[in-house]
């Protein structure tokens, strides 16, 4: 039972080839090159724009990583962001205090996550199909709630918080709560039994169940966490861009998933690290920022992101296979261990 | 056993922490819509002391156009007008923008990018009056001049607004055109763009006011529909209007995308020539429908001139000839002299009415 929960022992040679390390290195290279060669990249204002624009993606990437590690996916996150913003705008127009609205929106996220989670775990439907459905449904509800209105007159101190920076630095104020959530997520995924169970479920649901993991309940809680964080992101989004609209964050799910997959989280579940996912998210964010600064058109940016997504699904597999080939070469010298045959 | 019970509890704890963070962010006190002014703290329009009406026109500036939607024929025409004006004045023109007409977050990102690139001025057509304010004011703090054209932001967020024609003129004349076409009698509907579009709503306000006049007592406005400046949505909204109101006599569409989509639907339906259509359109878009009898007359300003005036105004601002304060006068290249009016607004001129007799003379 404990053997299953433990991550496989690593060796130095394989570590160097691990995809998340590669992505982290790519991010560093991109940043160094941009600081050196891209005009206006390195100033505090631009860096704050870069981080601020990437924060919604980075927020949702935290629970999404865990969900994908467990072998599921949530495509409805962008719509949940929109729904949360729409409800926020509607209630604000009705005269409710914003301090009351924010917890209501978070609660709404819990409900959205529960719906996704229950449909997947109780009815045994594939999460891809379920959340494509709720992607449309939540967006539809958002449009019913707010119509095509946009609400922009939120209180100044909240707008200032969500677009403001800490003193004269480049760090957005909103990055602080995100950093807190990041620490929580890293601890949960990489240093608790919950995290080990998630990897176990992603690797083999059946094996995990026989090992005593309550698979359904675990998955349900992950969907709830994703819905909750998405709704929180919806609040942030509406304040950051000073615009609550039903079509806020359309297509955000693709950016989140692109970042997470680019960061080396295996689409089939069971493999990856949060560090890699966050590196992937910020790699895409930085790339987009740089492309805008050097006047790459929006269409080309979409194309480049798409190509990167394909690479990000392919490359970790190639890297793993290369790693295995190397292990095989090594083991050819020594007597081959029987375990390798199973992978 | 620990694995059995731990996950749910830990996750519940994580969810609780998330909620606490949210509540923490909510801070103290109850801020409601009524208790806050909502409008942003804008830097005051540049001090008049530094303005010199006789300052030379600066060369080598960069003027960036940020239309509501790129590749929209209307904005292509207006921005090309801007390009000519900017390049004639010895400066550099560039255009950026989103491919959707309702992507407010995208527009905010573009304003931020242009601030980064330290352009001299931004000419922007705002998708939303409030959403751009924080970003535009940040741009202004970094020395970028802001001109709005076609669709305004809140006046505190820009230096000058270039109005295509006064909203009052446009709103009232569209009702007058429609009234003439349907003989002052019957049900009419409006097919607008986005429900948030500032300019559309201002015109619709004047249309409703004009309809209160006694000569229009037999005209009944039954519905305002929204096609979101999307050809397909506008087409479907037109279909919907005609099904919902079988006695509909006319549609006013104060948007170039809307009127074209409505004309396209009408010309291929049994309503051609029976249901009148007017509003704002471009001659090139509408030529076929005027010639085949679907549309009698419609109106517009010259968008190329609108874009050019925005460019000249941006250059005048960046050259220090004007600060945007009402009463200041400046020369807009070969377009002559303009004076900044109330709310720092400059009006391009009266709208032009296009019909079978004159449409052949226009090409835009």
């Amino acid at each position: 039972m404990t053997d299953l929960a433990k991550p496989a022992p690593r060796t130095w040679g394989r570590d160097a080839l691990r995809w998340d390390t590669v992505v982290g290195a790519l991010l560093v290279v991109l940043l160094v090159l941009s600081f050196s060669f891209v005009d206006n990249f390195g100033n505090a204002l631009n860096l704050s724009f870069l981080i601020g624009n990437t924060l919604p993606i980075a927020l949702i990437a935290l629970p999404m990583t865990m969900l994908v590690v467990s072998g599921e996916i949530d495509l409805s996150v962008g719509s949940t962001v929109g729904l949360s913003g729409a409800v926020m705008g509607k209630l604000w127009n009705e005269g409710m205090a914003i301090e009351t609205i924010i917890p209501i929106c978070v609660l709404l996220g819990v409900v959205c996550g529960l719906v996704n989670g229950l449909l997947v775990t109780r009815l045994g439907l594939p999460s891809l199909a379920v959340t494509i459905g709720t992607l449309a449904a939540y967006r539809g509800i958002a449009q019913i709630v707010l119509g095509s209105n946009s609400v922009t007159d939120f209180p100044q101190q909240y707008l200032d918080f969500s677009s403001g920076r800490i003193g004269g630095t480049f760090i957005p104020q909103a990055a602080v709560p995100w950093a807190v959530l990041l620490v929580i997520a890293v601890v949960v995924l990489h240093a608790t039994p919950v995290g080990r169970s998630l990897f176990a479920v992603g690797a083999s649901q059946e094996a995990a169940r026989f090992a005593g993991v309550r698979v359904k309940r675990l998955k349900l809680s992950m969907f709830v966490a994703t819905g909750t964080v998405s709704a929180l992101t919806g609040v942030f989004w509406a304040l950051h861009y000073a615009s609550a609209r039903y079509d806020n964050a359309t297509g955000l799910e693709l950016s989140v998933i692109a970042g997470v997959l680019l960061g080396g989280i295996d689409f089939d579940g069971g493999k990856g690290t949060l560090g890699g996912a966050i590196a992937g998210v910020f790699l895409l964010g930085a790339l987009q920022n740089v492309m805008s600064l050097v006047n790459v058109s929006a269409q080309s940016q979409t194309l480049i992101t798409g190509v990167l997504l394909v690479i990000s699904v392919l490359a970790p597999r190639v890297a793993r296979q290369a790693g295995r080939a190397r292990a095989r070469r090594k083991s050819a010298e020594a007597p081959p261990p029987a375990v390798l045959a199973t992978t | 056993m620990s694995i059995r019970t731990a996950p749910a509890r830990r996750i519940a704890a994580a969810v609780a922490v998330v909620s606490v963070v949210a509540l923490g962010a909510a801070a103290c006190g109850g801020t409601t819509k009524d208790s806050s002014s909502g409008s942003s703290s804008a830097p005051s329009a540049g001090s008049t002391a530094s303005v010199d009406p006789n300052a030379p026109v600066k060369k080598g500036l960069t003027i960036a156009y940020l239309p509501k939607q790129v590749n929209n024929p209307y904005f292509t025409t207006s921005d090309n007008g801007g390009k000519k004006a900017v390049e004639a004045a010895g400066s550099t023109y560039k255009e950026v923008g989103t491919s959707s007409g309702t992507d407010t977050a995208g527009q905010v990102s573009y304003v931020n990018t242009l601030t980064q690139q330290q352009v001299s001025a931004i000419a922007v057509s705002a998708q939303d009056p409030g959403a751009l304010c924080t970003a535009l004011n940040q741009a202004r703090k970094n020395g970028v001049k802001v001109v709005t054209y076609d669709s305004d932001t809140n006046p505190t967020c820009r230096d000058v607004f270039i109005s295509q024609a006064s909203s009052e003129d446009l709103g009232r004349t569209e009702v007058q055109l429609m009234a003439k076409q349907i003989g002052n009698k019957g049900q009419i509907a409006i097919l607008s763009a986005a429900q948030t579009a500032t300019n559309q709503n201002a015109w619709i306000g004047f249309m409703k006011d004009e309809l209160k006049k006694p000569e229009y007592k037999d005209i009944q406005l039954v519905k305002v529909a929204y096609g979101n400046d999307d050809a397909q949505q506008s087409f479907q909204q037109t279909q919907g209007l005609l099904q919902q109101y079988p006695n509909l006599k006319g549609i006013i569409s104060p948007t170039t995308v809307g009127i074209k989509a409505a004309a396209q639907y009408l010309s291929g339906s049994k309503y051609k020539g029976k249901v009148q259509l007017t509003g704002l359109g471009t001659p090139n878009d509408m030529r076929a429908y005027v010639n085949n009898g679907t549309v009698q007359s419609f109106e517009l300003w010259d968008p190329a001139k609108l874009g050019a005036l925005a460019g000249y105004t941006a250059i005048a601002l960046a050259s220090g000839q004007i600060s945007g304060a009402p009463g200041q006068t400046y020369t807009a290249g070969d377009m002559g002299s303009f004076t900044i009016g109330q709310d720092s607004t400059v009006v391009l001129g009266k709208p032009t009415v296009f019909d079978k007799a004159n449409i052949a003379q226009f090409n835009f």
Side-chain angles (χ1 to χ4, degrees), chain A residues 160-230:
Chain A
D160 287 345
F161 172 79
S162 56
S163 59
R165 292 181 270 159
I166 302 173
T169 67
F170 64 90
I171 302 168
Q173 291 169 18
V176 175
W178 175 74
V180 173
L181 289 178
L182 174 65
V183 170
I184 295 172
V186 167
V187 170
V188 168
L189 185 62
H190 294 296
T192 67
V194 180
R196 287 195 286 278
S197 307
L198 284 169
F199 280 104
V201 169
S204 168
Q205 193 163 313
E206 285 304 300
R209 192 182 0 256
F210 284 121
V213 178
R214 291 190 155 185
V215 175
K216 285 183 176 177
R217 199 161 75 176
L218 185 64
K219 283 187 173 175
L220 183 62
S221 8
M222 281 305 134
F223 276 107
V224 170
T226 309
T228 311
V229 174
S230 301

Side-chain angles (χ1 to χ4, degrees), chain A residues 73-76 79 116 126-138:
Chain A
I73 199 159
D74 186 348
L75 295 178
S76 71
S79 299
N116 286 335
S127 55
L128 205 65
V130 164
T131 56
I132 283 179
T134 51
L135 173 145
Y138 295 161

Side-chain angles (χ1 to χ4, degrees), chain A residues 1 5 39-41 43 45-46 48-49 53 92-100 102-103 106 110 143 146-161 163 165 177 180-181 184 188 191-194 196-197 211-214 217-218 221-222 224-225 228-229 232 237 240-243 245-248 289 292-299 301, chain B residues 1-15 17-19 21-41 70-71 94-106 108-118 127-135 138-139 142 154 193-197 226 228 233:
Chain A
M1 184 165 157
D39 285 347
N40 305 318
F41 178 83
N43 65 55
L45 189 62
N46 183 57
S48 76
F49 286 156
N53 288 341
W92 176 249
N93 273 348
E94 301 286 320
M96 194 181 273
I98 196 152
E99 292 77 7
T100 322
I102 293 173
V106 172
V110 173
Q143 192 172 11
L146 197 61
S148 42
N149 280 320
S150 82
V151 182
T152 59
D153 56 348
F154 293 111
Q156 196 58 39
Q157 70 265 33
Y158 285 90
L159 298 180
D160 287 345
F161 172 79
S163 59
R165 292 181 270 159
V180 173
L181 289 178
I184 295 172
V188 168
T192 67
V194 180
R196 287 195 286 278
S197 307
V213 178
R214 291 190 155 185
R217 199 161 75 176
L218 185 64
S221 8
M222 281 305 134
V224 170
T228 311
V229 174
L232 199 61
W237 182 288
H240 185 66
Y241 293 111
S243 175
R245 297 177 52 94
Y246 86 89
D247 58 356
N248 270 2
N289 178 280
S292 302
L293 282 182
V294 299
N295 293 322
V296 175
S297 74
Q299 292 91 323
Q301 290 191 21
Chain B
M1 268 337 262
S2 71
I3 287 182
R4 244 168 198 287
T5 51
R9 237 190 290 136
R10 298 286 174 101
I11 291 158
V15 170
V17 171
V18 168
S19 316
V21 171
L23 287 167
C28 45
T31 318
T32 62
K33 193 180 174 81
D34 300 327
S35 69
S36 83
S37 67
S39 77
S40 47
S41 53
V70 291
N71 300 329
K94 67 184 276 180
E95 186 198 40
V96 292
T98 65
S99 47
S100 148
T102 56
D103 181 5
T104 24
V108 171
S109 295
Y110 276 111
V111 171
N112 288 346
T113 305
L114 293 172
T115 307
Q116 269 329 295
Q117 295 174 329
Q118 293 163 351
Q127 290 174 355
D128 180 288
L132 288 178
C133 276
T134 309
Q138 204 159 30
N142 284 275
N154 295 333
Q195 203 162 357
T196 50
Y226 298 94
N228 287 322
Q233 282 185 39

